Amino acid sequence: MGAICGVIAAFFIIYEFRMVIATSLGLPNMQPTIGSLIILAVASLMISAFTVVIACLYSVIRVGRLETYIMISRNIQEQIQV
């Protein structure tokens, strides 16, 4: 949800300030079109979704290797030591 909000906010900010950005970069003719911004937004969402899947798989694989009882007892022992 955060990635979607961030991409939408970035889309509107870049679109609204495209003239200022192009002028400050010294490239007045290089203004992004709505189509190119939509492509960038979709690509950003796909990359963030891929990152989420990789992070989840890492956690699932790590948790799947341990027995539930061992994992719970280690967590309790770590909390007592802290």
Side-chain angles (χ1 to χ4, degrees):
M1 191 65 168
I4 293 171
C5 292
V7 167
I8 291 171
F11 175 82
F12 285 117
I13 290 171
I14 290 173
Y15 187 72
E16 289 298 320
F17 292 103
R18 67 186 185 276
M19 296 291 290
V20 176
I21 294 170
T23 306
S24 67
L25 290 174
L27 304 169
N29 298 328
M30 298 291 288
Q31 298 176 16
T33 61
I34 292 179
S36 66
L37 289 177
I38 290 173
I39 291 171
L40 287 173
V42 170
S44 297
L45 288 174
M46 289 173 51
I47 290 170
S48 64
F50 179 72
T51 305
V52 167
V53 169
I54 295 297
C56 290
L57 284 176
Y58 175 75
S59 298
V60 166
I61 291 170
R62 188 170 175 201
V63 169
R65 290 183 184 167
L66 295 175
E67 299 261 347
T68 306
Y69 174 75
I70 295 171
M71 191 169 46
I72 292 171
S73 66
R74 282 186 186 171
N75 189 20
I76 291 171
Q77 289 173 0
E78 289 175 3
Q79 288 178 358
I80 292 171
Q81 291 175 355
V82 174

